[in-house]
């Protein structure tokens, strides 16, 4: 039997990374990707006369690029979730300030805004739920459209927040709601 990898050189080496050391595992994966990428490029350039070596190296490079795209989509999805939470805090703070003010009738005027926000959050939730349930094959095939959809929802959340704050400030100004009741405006994301 032929053994491959570092465990072939060290029979006592664990086959799987320890669950207690995820940072080390992530570093090992990054190192492995970097190493394979470097080797694939070198081998592809060195053995141009050997059939299929350059093709194999090219496929490995493409697989690594796909891996990076999937990872980017996952990272952007987490960023989207965090943005939804931050923006929702602004909306909820605004609603709470109106509810605690003498001008509670403004809540009824903001109903259309809330209906729109509900629809948007439902779409975001549906997208995130579908992506959570997707298998690896589906994530590979749809990686570019998924990233595009994340970016679209990111923009829509920002647009809603701007519309909500504008409407809130206009209604509070028109009806005389004190400015200290206005939700704090988040101008940039951390």
């Amino acid at each position: 039997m032929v053994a491959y990898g570092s465990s072939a050189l060290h029979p006592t080496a664990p086959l799987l990374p320890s669950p207690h050391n995820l940072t080390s595992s992530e570093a090992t994966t990054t190192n492995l990707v970097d190493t394979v990428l470097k080797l694939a490029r070198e081998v592809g350039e060195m053995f141009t006369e050997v059939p299929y070596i350059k093709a194999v190296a090219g496929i490995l490079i493409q697989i690594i690029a796909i891996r990076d795209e999937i990872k980017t989509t996952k990272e952007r999805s987490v960023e989207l979730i965090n943005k939804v939470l931050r923006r929702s805090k602004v909306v909820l703070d605004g609603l709470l300030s109106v509810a605690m003010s003498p001008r509670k009738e403004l809540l009824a005027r903001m109903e259309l805004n809330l209906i729109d926000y509900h629809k948007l959050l439902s779409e975001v939730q549906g997208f995130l739920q579908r992506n959570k349930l997707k298998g690896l094959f589906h994530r590979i095939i749809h990686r570019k459209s998924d990233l595009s959809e994340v970016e679209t929802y990111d923009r829509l959340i920002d647009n809603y927040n701007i519309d909500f704050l504008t409407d809130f400030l206009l209604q509070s100004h028109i009806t005389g709601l004190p400015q200290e009741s206005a939700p704090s405006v988040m101008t940039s994301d951390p």
Side-chain angles (χ1 to χ4, degrees), residues 46-66:
M46 288 178 67
F47 295 100
T48 56
E49 69 282 349
V50 180
Y52 295 104
I53 288 186
K54 191 167 187 161
V56 167
I59 293 291
L60 287 172
I61 291 169
Q62 289 176 18
I63 289 172
I64 291 170
I66 290 169

Side-chain angles (χ1 to χ4, degrees), residues 69-84:
E69 290 171 357
I70 291 170
K71 187 176 176 182
T72 299
T73 300
K74 183 178 178 180
E75 290 167 354
R76 290 288 291 131
S77 293
V78 170
E79 289 172 13
L80 176 64
I81 290 168
N82 290 334
K83 179 177 273 190
V84 165

Side-chain angles (χ1 to χ4, degrees), residues 65-126:
I66 290 169
R67 176 193 174 274
D68 291 345
E69 290 171 357
I70 291 170
K71 187 176 176 182
T72 299
T73 300
K74 183 178 178 180
E75 290 167 354
R76 290 288 291 131
S77 293
V78 170
E79 289 172 13
L80 176 64
I81 290 168
N82 290 334
K83 179 177 273 190
V84 165
L85 296 175
R86 286 190 308 273
R87 299 301 193 241
S88 293
K89 182 184 181 308
V90 171
V91 170
L92 295 173
D93 283 345
L95 294 172
L96 186 59
S97 68
V98 171
M100 293 173 24
S101 78
R103 304 299 311 230
K104 290 182 176 66
E105 70 274 2
L106 283 177
L107 290 173
R109 293 183 184 172
M110 301 178 90
E111 185 176 358
L112 292 177
N113 282 331
L114 294 173
I115 290 170
D116 290 343
Y117 196 51
H118 177 265
K119 288 178 187 175
L120 177 57
L121 290 180
S122 293
E123 288 178 26
V124 170
Q125 185 269 339

Side-chain angles (χ1 to χ4, degrees), residues 2-55:
V2 178
Y4 297 96
S6 62
S7 60
L9 300 174
H10 306 286
T12 59
L15 295 176
L16 297 173
S18 166
H20 303 290
N21 197 355
L22 293 177
T23 343
S24 174
S25 174
E26 290 170 358
T28 302
T29 301
T30 301
N31 290 340
L32 178 62
V33 168
D34 292 341
T35 301
V36 170
L37 188 57
K38 182 180 174 186
L39 284 171
R41 287 183 178 143
E42 286 178 17
V43 168
E45 291 170 4
M46 288 178 67
F47 295 100
T48 56
E49 69 282 349
V50 180
Y52 295 104
I53 288 186
K54 191 167 187 161

